[in-house]
Amino acid sequence: MDVERQGNKLVWKKLDLSSGTSKVHLDGDWMVAGQQNKTRVNLEVSGENNSDLMERFGITSGIQRAPFELNSKLTWDGAPWSMRVNTVSGDINTKLGKGIISDVSGAARLLGLFSLDSIIRKMQLDFTDVFDKGMAFNSITGSGKIRDGIFVTNDIKMDAVAGEMKIKGLADLATQTVDAEVNFTPDMTSGIPIITAFAVTPQTALIVLAVTTVISPVVEVVTQVNYSVKGSLDSPTVSEISRSQGEYKLPENLKKEIK
């Protein structure tokens, strides 16, 4: 660690930590001048398995075995160890590679700003069986800005096997509240379980096959659903705003899945 004093600042130029495939780089400064007391931190974290890093800090994350990158540039009033949350400002960018959300309650540990666990629990109720064993994803990306303790984003995106989830909104770190909108578009090409779950009329796989084979080659399905997430970060209210529906033609390769 390279630390030196520059006038009224204590500057740390380089702090690098590594454990297994996880790496942490930190630099910044702490400025004290009269009544002013301000901290600036640049943080870069990366690794091949987010579970390993989280466990080392005693955090149980529902997101498992995903490679990850996180970059942030933050400032706040106060010492490095005594952050005044309502003064935090800066930028955050994050990316996770292929992984799985295996425990809904634990997912909030990593994406808690927008209560991902509450969103998925609501979807479990609305679309039975689809997410009961977790949610596999190819990537999760997102960025946002923090101003005076309020985090704002419009580009959080989860490319999940079951479909695509987009989140935009704000989270107030000081009041621990959230106000966001969530859009989910199911991927009907993922297989029969997705089609049956998002069918407008609840159906079993066998009924879907019978209808598409004997009566009509299409199924009426939910093509998009939108939710609002409002309230406390610990227990927000997740409400459905709207849903769209349309016809989906069952391809031959999916018919074979349930024969």
Side-chain angles (χ1 to χ4, degrees), residues 30-51:
W30 174 30
M31 184 270 289
V32 180
Q35 298 298 316
Q36 288 187 307
N37 186 352
K38 200 173 191 70
T39 298
R40 179 183 62 86
V41 171
N42 298 322
L43 176 67
E44 299 175 5
V45 186
S46 63
E48 295 300 320
N49 187 332
N50 74 295
S51 304

Side-chain angles (χ1 to χ4, degrees), residues 75 84-90 146-151 172-174:
T75 63
R84 289 176 54 189
V85 176
N86 64 339
T87 68
V88 177
S89 295
I146 303 178
R147 294 293 179 268
D148 298 324
I150 299 176
F151 178 79
D172 191 321
L173 306 182

Side-chain angles (χ1 to χ4, degrees), residues 19-194:
S19 177
T21 62
S22 300
K23 298 179 181 179
V24 178
H25 172 79
L26 182 71
D27 65 70
D29 58 69
W30 174 30
M31 184 270 289
V32 180
Q35 298 298 316
Q36 288 187 307
N37 186 352
K38 200 173 191 70
T39 298
R40 179 183 62 86
V41 171
N42 298 322
L43 176 67
E44 299 175 5
V45 186
S46 63
E48 295 300 320
N49 187 332
N50 74 295
S51 304
D52 289 344
L53 182 64
M54 304 289 275
E55 289 171 2
R56 290 182 187 279
F57 286 94
I59 299 174
T60 301
S61 172
I63 298 179
Q64 301 290 328
R65 303 185 301 275
F68 64 95
E69 296 177 9
L70 183 146
N71 298 284
S72 65
K73 295 182 178 181
L74 303 174
T75 63
W76 63 84
D77 290 350
W81 57 86
S82 60
M83 176 190 294
R84 289 176 54 189
V85 176
N86 64 339
T87 68
V88 177
S89 295
D91 303 293
I92 297 177
N93 292 273
T94 187
K95 178 180 179 180
L96 288 94
K98 188 174 182 179
I100 185 170
I101 300 175
S102 59
D103 173 23
V104 172
S105 62
R109 300 285 188 174
L110 190 61
L111 297 174
L113 288 180
F114 294 99
S115 302
L116 181 62
D117 58 334
S118 296
I119 297 167
I120 298 179
R121 276 200 298 270
K122 172 63 174 172
M123 294 180 70
Q124 285 177 330
L125 294 174
D126 292 350
F127 305 103
T128 308
D129 298 333
V130 179
F131 308 111
D132 288 352
K133 295 182 180 179
M135 178 183 283
F137 60 87
N138 297 311
S139 66
I140 301 176
T141 59
S143 64
K145 295 183 180 296
I146 303 178
R147 294 293 179 268
D148 298 324
I150 299 176
F151 178 79
V152 180
T153 182
N154 62 6
D155 68 354
I156 294 178
K157 177 180 175 182
M158 178 193 294
D159 176 16
V161 173
E164 181 180 83
M165 180 182 290
K166 295 181 179 179
I167 303 175
K168 63 180 180 179
L170 61 86
D172 191 321
L173 306 182
T175 62
Q176 291 289 288
T177 55
V178 61
D179 185 352
E181 290 186 8
V182 179
N183 168 277
F184 185 79
T185 303
D187 181 4
M188 298 303 167
T189 65
S190 294
I192 292 297
I194 301 299

